[in-house]
Amino acid sequence: MSYTKRVLIAEDSSVIQNLARKILEFQHYEITSVKNGEQVIKLLEKEDFDIILLDINMPIMDGMECARTIRGFSDAKKAKTPIVAITGNAKNYSEEDFKEAGFDDALMKPLNFDRLVEVVAHLTE
């Protein structure tokens, strides 16, 4: 018996957040959504997730800073949680920038939902 994988989506666009939620819930993932990186950090202090989807451009704390903060956690399990960047500004960052910040993968907007499901499934195996 496998347990339901938990996905944390940090995205300030309600439209993208809701679409990603619906698609992943249809794949039997348990979804928690927040609007900024600061909320991600607060939630991670209390809960565990199998994967985190982080928008790069969010208010208060952006995805790059949030990923670096997570990678710096003293709790090794939480620090190693797979993190996927979601960005509409891929031209502003190189693959190296994402790797350096601690991302395991990156998804470009507009989101390809087949790729979203594929990446989440792969990183939560």
Side-chain angles (χ1 to χ4, degrees), residues 28-85:
H28 308 290
Y29 291 99
E30 181 186 317
I31 310 300
T32 301
S33 303
V34 296
K35 295 277 190 183
N36 65 62
E38 189 178 84
Q39 292 171 323
V40 169
I41 301 306
K42 284 183 179 157
L43 207 51
L44 282 174
E45 288 170 358
K46 295 181 258 174
E47 299 182 45
D48 290 327
F49 292 90
D50 295 290
I51 190 167
I52 302 164
L53 305 178
L54 276 184
D55 182 21
I56 295 303
N57 295 314
M58 293 182 290
I60 304 172
M61 180 190 283
D62 70 20
M64 298 300 263
E65 184 183 348
C66 186
R68 287 187 191 98
T69 303
I70 293 166
R71 292 301 182 228
F73 278 6
S74 57
D75 178 330
K77 182 179 182 260
K78 288 185 187 208
K80 287 185 172 79
T81 304
I83 307 173
V84 178

